Amino acid sequence: MSDHWIGGRRVTSPIRFDDISPIDGSVLAHVSRACPEEVDLAVDTAEKAFTHWRRTTRERRAELLHKIADGVEKRLDELAAVETSDNGALLRSHLRGVMPRVAHNFRFFADWLVDEVCHPDFDTRGHTNRVSWDPAGVCALITPWNAPLMLASWKIAPALAAGDTVVLKPAEWTPLTATLLAEITAEAGLPDGVFNVVQGHGENTGQHLVNNPRLRRISFTGSVPTGKAIARAAAANLVPTSLELGGKSPLIVFADADLDLAVKLAVEQYDNAGQVCLAGVRLLVEESVAAEFLAGFLTRADALKQGDPRDPATDVGPLIHRRQLDRVDGFVRRAVADGARVLLGGGPNTELGGLYYRPTLLTDVRPGSEILTEEVFGPVLTLQTFRREEDAVAMANDTRFGLAATLVTGDEDRARRVTEQLVAGTVWVNCFFVRDLRAPFGGSRESGIGREGGNWSFDFYCDVKNTVTAGQGWRHG
């Protein structure tokens, strides 16, 4: 059983749904689905808790966030095992990187709150300007299923540090680690009502949550259509909203690149079975080295082991849900029917059955075709070639998205020229997925609105105030 967490206690709903493991189809939990009454209760509880939490000192808030991080580290093995069962991502990745990063997210924003959130006073004709960050209120945080707890903690940690209270709605396909985190926050001593979790589907629970007029912030990571729906709901109540949406990112390889590095980075795009919004799924390779790059890529990709994500030797696990597998396979089938040629994979892994889809590479794709313009969110890459630098830039930017881009080159001047022209919230040069919480994170175009990370997070989760004080008018003596 998995119930909501509201006001420091478990709250059940009369309606439940099954949480199913993508690994083997087993039912992991019977999950309470929040009705409007539970959603409203969570917002009401968070609003009441805000009265006290906003007055809690920065130092005390930071102390509690560090205790939450301690709790995550104490239960790291459990969190990793539960999340692997729930979303099918590799257990070794959860143990080595993902769950330690969850703890780091809480520690980072705790320390940033105390040490970094400040602005020097400045003078205007004898008047002193003082900038401050005031807690905003109740935040609705809606998170995806591909990295449930890590992506949730990117939002929860700065919101709590800022002095806001939180109503979290995890993805309906992966709700389990959110409910464990709720227990951890309680054990850490977080006051009741400051952190709440409501479970359910986007079309009912999520929609009712974002329509609540008492929200002061909404942060969402997910699809473009859902992001647009949330933006419409937020607009009705003038609620500031941060949206991290889809991507169709390029990975550009120039002839002067270290090709071994380029191949390694390209094959990394199959991480989490391709269910990564930042993945460089459009491989753009300079024509003169395309054959050599392709040979290395196929050799390395063919060596990937697909199977049970709980096995330390596994490199590629299952897709999250039957609906996702059918979606991914539909994209590939339509691309092939449209003239694309399969160089690797091309369909479900029939030897494993279930939700396993073979790492796939397509070439001879028609410019402007669906496989180049729509987010597949599976282990499917495309390969295109270019001759000139300006052609590479034009191809990279030929998308309505702008979340990320990866560039592999041995020429520092070229790296500077190209990165200046790329439309993307994050550009990686000769590396991939290096994420420092001090840096702004977000997308351009249809990849989203707003930035989070470092002061950008506090600018979003707070009401930024400027107080102007005259040097005269004071009573003395």
Side-chain angles (χ1 to χ4, degrees), residues 178-241:
T179 199
L180 293 177
L181 180 63
E183 295 175 358
I184 291 171
T185 64
E187 292 165 0
L190 195 71
D192 293 347
V194 171
F195 178 67
N196 308 274
V197 179
V198 291
Q199 303 164 140
H201 298 77
E203 60 269 22
N204 40 61
T205 302
Q207 182 177 352
H208 191 76
L209 175 60
V210 298
N211 282 327
N212 194 299
R214 292 176 293 167
L215 298 179
R216 292 295 174 263
R217 295 291 186 274
I218 300 172
S219 181
F220 168 75
T221 299
S223 71
V224 172
T226 302
K228 290 180 177 180
I230 289 173
R232 287 192 292 269
N237 297 312
L238 291 177
V239 180
T241 304

Side-chain angles (χ1 to χ4, degrees), residues 62-200:
E63 179 186 352
L64 289 170
L65 263 64
H66 277 294
K67 288 183 177 179
I68 293 171
D70 292 341
V72 169
E73 290 172 347
K74 181 179 178 181
R75 299 176 68 171
L76 191 145
D77 289 352
E78 177 190 8
L79 290 166
V82 169
E83 190 128 299
T84 291
S85 297
D86 210 10
N87 84 331
L90 301 185
L91 178 60
R92 73 172 192 232
S93 296
H94 282 142
L95 289 170
R96 297 175 188 172
V98 177
M99 294 306 160
R101 184 58 184 259
V102 171
H104 170 71
N105 291 344
F106 282 101
R107 295 200 192 282
F108 173 88
F109 284 107
D111 293 338
W112 193 270
L113 169 68
V114 175
D115 299 330
E116 302 292 343
V117 182
C118 62
H119 190 286
D121 292 351
F122 55 97
D123 180 77
T124 304
R125 300 185 303 278
H127 299 70
T128 300
N129 293 263
R130 181 176 60 85
V131 177
S132 58
W133 284 259
D134 293 349
V138 180
C139 299
L141 309 181
I142 303 174
T143 52
W145 45 259
N146 57 323
L149 193 57
M150 184 177 71
L151 294 181
S153 65
W154 278 0
K155 302 176 187 293
I156 297 165
L160 295 181
D164 297 336
T165 53
V166 167
V167 178
L168 171 70
K169 195 205 85 66
E172 58 267 25
W173 288 346
T174 54
L176 298 186
T177 47
T179 199
L180 293 177
L181 180 63
E183 295 175 358
I184 291 171
T185 64
E187 292 165 0
L190 195 71
D192 293 347
V194 171
F195 178 67
N196 308 274
V197 179
V198 291
Q199 303 164 140

Side-chain angles (χ1 to χ4, degrees), residues 16 86 119 206 222 245 265 303 382 422:
R16 291 185 176 273
D86 210 10
H119 190 286
L245 306 177
L265 294 174
T382 58
L422 293 175

Side-chain angles (χ1 to χ4, degrees), residues 262-313:
V263 165
K264 174 180 177 293
L265 294 174
V267 174
E268 278 185 30
Q269 309 311 305
Y270 290 128
D271 182 50
N272 202 17
Q275 299 169 128
V276 178
C277 57
L278 296 159
V281 295
R282 293 184 294 133
L283 307 181
L284 310 179
V285 183
E286 192 163 351
E287 191 174 90
S288 62
V289 295
E292 184 181 354
F293 170 86
L294 178 60
F297 179 92
L298 293 176
T299 298
R300 193 178 186 104
D302 194 54
L304 294 173
K305 179 182 177 182
Q306 188 166 35
D308 191 321
R310 296 166 295 195
D311 182 345

